[in-house]
Amino acid sequence: METTPLLESAHSRHPESLHCPRRSSRPGRESSSSPAVGPAPYKEYASINWLQNLVRDNERYRRNKASQRGNLTANIQGHLATWWDSAQGWIIAVIIGILTAGVAFVVDVSVETVADWKEGYCISNAWMNRRSCCSPDLTCRNWRLWTPHFPFAYAIYIIFALVFGVIAAGVTLTTKAELPSLQAGAGTEIDSDRLGHNSDEEIDQSSAAQAETKTMYMAAGSGIPEIKTILSGFVIPHFLSFKVLAVKAVGATFAVATGMCLGKEGPFVHISTCVGYLVAKTLPKYEQNEGKMREMLSVACSSGLSVAFGAPIGGVLFSYEEISTYFPRRVLWKSFLCSLVAAATLRELNPTGTGKLVLFETNYGVDYEIVHYLVFVLLGVCGGVFGGVFCTANFFWSTSFRKLPLIRRSPLLEVFIVVLITACLQYPNPLIRDTGDIMMERLLVDCNDVNEDWICQQEAKLSGKGTYYAWLISGTFVKLILTTITFGCKVPSGIIIPALDAGALFGRMVGQIVPDISPGIFAMVGSAAFLAGVSRMTVSLAVIMFELTGEVNFIPPFMIAILTAKWVADSISAEGVYDLAQHIIGHPFLDAEQAVVKLRAAQNSDTGCPPVVGQLSPPTSIMVKLMARLDANHSLSIVHFRESLLQLESRGLADLGLVMVNEQGVCQAHLLEVTFQSVLRILDESEQAGLSELKLGSDRISHLIDSSPLCISTGAPIEYAAEIFGKLGLSHLIVVDEETAKAVGVVGKKRLLKFLDSLE
């Protein structure tokens, strides 16, 4: 079976419109058009082939159907097996939802209790938080402050915050892991330019020199950038283990309790994904198929945000809009069920004691007028400015302060400094002293009763509001500064609640100058605008906000503020916080739409010719080592087969796989790195059985080989390759000569990402 190019070159397709020079079939020799010499791209990450996983799942399905043929007993067993196969995903979705809600309940209750210890304790039960201790006694006689004196209370608050911060960072640092760049049997995709100019001995030496590691703290941060990387088709070992789940839950509890500008909502998404992975891997259908596993991880992500905000629909949309790369309808339906079960279970567990699913329920009892649309637009503009400034400032902070040798060696020191600064700045301001969710609840208050909250008492004053206004203004700027230096610390942390808090502070301040309407309305809309500016979420955020507050009538203001904030933020910083975090950490991620935009901008200014696939392919001297030639019977010598695989591993070329060609040089199959060890075992067994060669279609190895790899012409624009990688989920493309269809190269997704990075 001979393969033909999937896409022709731009020259052959449009000769009358593009006068581009024809490319040589030896792309590696064109040094003038090749990317700059550099290290092997994303050498710590393995990539999966979605299309190959789909083929394997289809084969498994056909085997199940074939088992139904035979006598009555076999027929019944086959139908039961088919039913069980179809039901597994739904059952797992329910289990994930229940377990995620259980973990969220423990974390929610623990956070509130531990955070309240900074100010006092319950004399009837020291393990009870202030809300539970004071209910139903409104005078709160059972709650005892550590001291009524401000200086001593201030000092105690700081000491507790520092202790909690050290605990949070300490447990997080236990998840330190090294991602090896080169392992035995796990080579990397070597930079084609470097290889094009080195001898074989130099290649071996440079490969050995690259046997370094990348350090990661698996439980640090929100986990969302890493999950996006995993769901896009890459592998981060140990990131979803039970240890990481436990540490994330404990670390998030103490990190939020410090009062730092972070939330537990992002960590909940990571926790739910860990739960999804641990549950799904108990079934071979998901454990043995990376593509199916990622479908269940997308399902699990929805339950994380569902329990974080009591927003089951918003959780589904968040997984679809912000995290997942591949989200077919079957994943949508399972996500809907998982998110529903998680929200319903958490409601029954009732961690807040209200018995309600809505976290920040409001009922303003007034409607907005047409003139208020201008205020909503203003909030959107300010939210966009906040988000753009935050993303730019956090990127600068992460690439400057966190690169200092002392901070890189001692992440615990950074956490200690940030907690100290946070406690010192936040405690004097009564508006931002509490944890983020409590603060958000207070800022949305409608003030129907003057004694309902300290905020209501201040706003009820006829004069002397200057101090209150100062707290609102300073609180907004303090939140911006503290959130900038906090996001990225080595503790479990999310960005959603801090952004909502800053927006609520600013919106409440704006509401003071708008007459005849509750300031809480503008706090609510402002929080949505600020979060949109930071994260660039749109549809999912609008739904989350009305589920979070129960205010369906305010969906239009939410949408106005969110869209305005996104447009303004995009003009300041092109990427949202999660995309920037991926860039800072160095995780690979392919956004096909953004890739096409970059590639079109990279066209030759003189000729208008786009960069072509040949620029990404290894030189001919390397392709010789990457190819195995089959005989006329499509067979390959076992000795030669083994030598080819071992040579690729020893030289650090295994990530490109082994390309099998016939006597005419046309590609017949592609063997991926992940199957190398299995193939080597089969070769040993075959040799022991007395065989000297293996046929390509042999039952022994046919299930491990991609016998129909997709090909692309060497002169095709790279944007074609970007679209194929992004939409089909491939890990590699075979590059063929546009005239003879002979295999002349192989391009991996990581090599494409390296090229895209060089265009920035």
Side-chain angles (χ1 to χ4, degrees):
M1 178 187 65
E2 296 185 358
T3 57
T4 55
L6 179 67
L7 291 171
E8 299 176 296
S9 70
H11 177 85
S12 60
R13 287 170 62 92
H14 305 289
E16 71 283 357
S17 58
L18 286 178
H19 302 287
C20 301
R22 298 183 69 84
R23 299 287 175 177
S24 166
S25 62
R26 296 185 176 186
R29 299 299 184 189
E30 298 185 26
S31 58
S32 62
S33 61
S34 297
V37 176
Y42 300 110
K43 52 188 177 294
E44 302 88 357
Y45 302 85
S47 58
I48 71 167
N49 191 318
W50 290 84
L51 205 57
Q52 189 69 8
N53 281 292
L54 176 62
V55 171
R56 291 174 182 169
D57 190 58
N58 289 337
E59 292 175 352
R60 181 190 58 80
Y61 178 79
R62 285 194 293 269
R63 287 195 300 269
N64 288 343
K65 294 296 290 184
S67 66
Q68 298 178 15
R69 301 166 188 163
N71 56 35
L72 179 61
T73 302
N75 200 353
I76 294 175
Q77 291 176 345
H79 279 87
L80 289 175
T82 301
W83 175 86
W84 169 240
D85 183 76
S86 301
Q88 286 178 16
W90 299 98
I91 295 173
I92 288 178
V94 172
I95 295 174
I96 292 172
I98 294 173
L99 294 179
T100 300
V103 176
F105 168 77
V106 174
V107 173
D108 283 340
V109 173
S110 301
V111 164
E112 193 166 358
T113 299
V114 176
D116 287 342
W117 285 345
K118 299 198 302 294
E119 298 185 56
Y121 63 97
C122 185
I123 59 177
S124 60
N125 185 351
W127 299 101
M128 190 175 290
N129 58 53
R130 179 168 50 188
R131 190 201 309 258
S132 301
C133 184
C134 295
S135 178
D137 181 12
L138 298 180
T139 60
C140 212
R141 288 174 295 183
N142 288 331
W143 182 256
R144 182 73 53 83
L145 296 175
W146 295 115
T147 174
H149 304 291
F150 180 84
F152 297 110
Y154 195 179
I156 293 173
Y157 181 95
I158 293 174
I159 292 172
F160 268 104
L162 290 173
V163 171
F164 295 158
V166 170
I167 294 174
V171 296
T172 302
L173 296 184
T174 63
T175 61
K176 179 180 179 180
E178 308 288 346
L179 298 185
S181 60
L182 282 177
Q183 305 177 24
T188 66
E189 186 176 331
I190 299 298
D191 188 281
S192 60
D193 303 298
R194 180 173 60 80
L195 290 176
H197 302 286
N198 287 357
S199 65
D200 290 349
E201 291 76 11
E202 289 172 328
I203 292 171
D204 291 334
Q205 292 173 3
S206 61
S207 297
Q210 288 191 47
E212 55 189 25
T213 57
K214 176 177 181 176
T215 301
M216 279 186 61
Y217 297 93
M218 298 297 179
S222 67
I224 291 177
E226 289 81 3
I227 295 171
K228 289 183 67 174
T229 297
I230 291 173
L231 294 184
S232 70
F234 292 95
V235 178
I236 303 179
H238 316 301
F239 185 73
L240 301 176
S241 66
F242 178 79
K243 176 184 177 181
V244 173
L245 187 157
V247 170
K248 196 84 173 188
V250 174
T253 299
F254 285 97
V256 175
T258 62
M260 296 169 69
C261 289
L262 49 81
K264 57 183 182 293
E265 292 68 30
F268 273 171
V269 176
H270 187 183
I271 288 171
S272 67
T273 310
C274 290
V275 171
Y277 172 77
L278 295 171
V279 173
K281 79 171 188 175
T282 60
L283 297 175
K285 175 180 177 180
Y286 298 101
E287 183 185 23
Q288 299 173 6
N289 191 303
E290 293 283 0
K292 299 297 291 184
M293 173 62 79
R294 276 155 179 76
E295 289 184 11
M296 292 313 302
L297 296 184
S298 293
V299 170
C301 286
S302 64
S303 66
L305 205 74
S306 174
V307 297
F309 287 123
I313 301 176
V316 175
L317 293 176
F318 178 79
S319 179
Y320 169 75
E321 178 185 3
E322 190 65 28
I323 295 184
S324 300
T325 301
Y326 179 64
F327 205 84
R329 281 184 294 177
R330 62 177 177 273
V331 175
L332 174 66
W333 298 332
K334 291 183 179 69
S335 297
F336 193 80
L337 174 64
C338 184
S339 188
L340 165 65
V341 171
T345 303
L346 189 66
R347 180 182 181 277
E348 295 305 316
L349 293 174
N350 194 19
T352 61
T354 62
K356 297 179 180 180
L357 187 61
V358 178
L359 192 59
F360 305 132
E361 185 176 17
T362 59
N363 186 15
Y364 294 112
V366 295
D367 207 352
Y368 49 89
E369 304 293 338
I370 190 170
V371 68
H372 295 139
Y373 283 113
L374 297 176
V375 184
F376 299 145
V377 171
L378 172 64
L379 291 173
V381 171
C382 295
V385 172
F386 177 91
V389 170
F390 166 79
C391 290
T392 303
N394 182 256
F395 181 81
F396 173 77
W397 181 262
S398 299
T399 54
S400 56
F401 178 77
R402 291 197 176 112
K403 297 298 182 182
L404 297 176
L406 178 61
I407 299 301
R408 293 184 65 180
R409 291 194 304 267
S410 306
L412 184 61
L413 176 62
E414 181 191 6
V415 174
F416 187 90
I417 294 172
V418 171
V419 172
L420 180 61
I421 295 173
T422 301
C424 291
L425 291 180
Q426 288 193 161
Y427 186 81
N429 188 336
L431 289 175
I432 60 176
R433 184 181 302 170
D434 294 315
T435 56
D437 51 351
I438 301 296
M439 173 184 163
M440 183 72 180
E441 185 178 359
R442 294 182 61 202
L443 288 169
L444 297 185
V445 67
D446 189 26
C447 290
N448 293 318
D449 182 0
V450 174
N451 297 320
E452 187 172 351
D453 192 273
W454 177 84
I455 292 176
C456 300
Q457 296 173 4
Q458 299 302 309
E459 293 179 350
K461 292 180 179 179
L462 298 178
S463 60
K465 296 183 181 180
T467 302
Y468 173 63
Y469 294 159
W471 288 136
L472 286 171
I473 297 172
S474 64
T476 303
F477 286 101
V478 167
K479 279 291 179 182
L480 172 60
I481 296 171
L482 293 180
T483 305
T484 298
I485 66 175
T486 301
F487 188 72
C489 285
K490 298 302 182 286
V491 293
S493 60
I495 192 64
I496 296 178
I497 280 292
L500 290 175
D501 289 342
L505 282 165
F506 183 81
R508 193 93 195 181
M509 180 178 65
V510 171
Q512 304 304 309
I513 59 176
V514 181
D516 303 325
I517 190 170
S518 173
I521 292 175
F522 301 105
M524 179 176 62
V525 176
S527 62
F530 276 49
L531 180 54
V534 170
S535 67
R536 315 300 160 85
M537 295 160 54
T538 53
V539 178
S540 58
L541 178 55
V543 175
I544 288 171
M545 288 306 301
F546 89 73
E547 287 188 291
L548 193 62
T549 60
E551 291 287 357
V552 180
N553 291 335
F554 286 89
I555 291 179
F558 287 145
M559 296 175 69
I560 291 172
I562 288 170
L563 279 177
T564 305
K566 175 176 170 52
W567 290 334
V568 173
D570 283 342
S571 66
I572 300 174
S573 173
E575 295 180 305
V577 63
Y578 298 127
D579 295 327
L580 281 176
Q582 281 184 311
H583 183 74
I584 293 170
I585 301 171
H587 293 322
F589 181 77
L590 176 61
D591 185 330
E593 293 183 6
Q594 291 297 322
V596 170
V597 172
K598 286 184 180 180
L599 291 166
R600 288 176 178 171
Q603 291 184 359
N604 188 298
S605 57
D606 296 327
T607 64
C609 296
V612 296
V613 172
Q615 297 175 230
L616 305 181
S617 186
T620 305
S621 60
I622 299 303
M623 276 307 302
V624 171
K625 300 177 177 62
L626 295 173
M627 289 194 293
R629 194 170 296 274
L630 304 171
D631 61 21
N633 297 321
H634 283 198
S635 298
L636 187 65
S637 164
I638 290 179
V639 174
H640 180 63
F641 203 166
R642 182 188 294 109
E643 288 179 352
S644 297
L645 296 180
L646 295 177
Q647 183 185 57
L648 293 182
E649 290 183 338
S650 64
R651 294 175 183 270
L653 296 170
D655 192 56
L656 292 172
L658 181 66
V659 181
M660 300 180 181
V661 298
N662 62 14
E663 293 178 327
Q664 290 75 38
V666 177
C667 179
Q668 300 295 296
H670 187 217
L671 187 65
L672 297 177
E673 175 197 0
V674 293
T675 63
F676 276 19
Q677 295 304 313
S678 298
V679 171
L680 286 171
R681 285 194 298 270
I682 291 173
L683 293 179
D684 292 338
E685 294 170 359
S686 301
E687 199 169 41
Q688 292 172 3
L691 299 177
S692 60
E693 62 180 24
L694 275 181
K695 194 174 180 62
L696 189 62
S698 168
D699 292 339
R700 291 174 178 266
I701 62 170
S702 60
H703 63 288
L704 298 173
I705 294 177
D706 183 3
S707 58
S708 55
L710 295 186
C711 303
I712 189 169
S713 296
T714 183
I718 295 180
E719 63 187 78
Y720 289 5
E723 289 281 6
I724 295 171
F725 278 122
K727 293 181 178 179
L728 297 183
L730 300 181
S731 59
H732 296 83
L733 277 173
I734 306 300
V735 182
V736 299
D737 183 81
E738 54 192 355
E739 295 178 351
T740 64
K742 292 182 179 180
V744 295
V746 57
V747 175
K749 184 194 295 186
K750 293 186 286 184
R751 188 69 184 88
L752 172 63
L753 288 170
K754 173 70 179 300
F755 179 79
L756 293 173
D757 290 342
S758 70
L759 299 179
E760 296 180 353

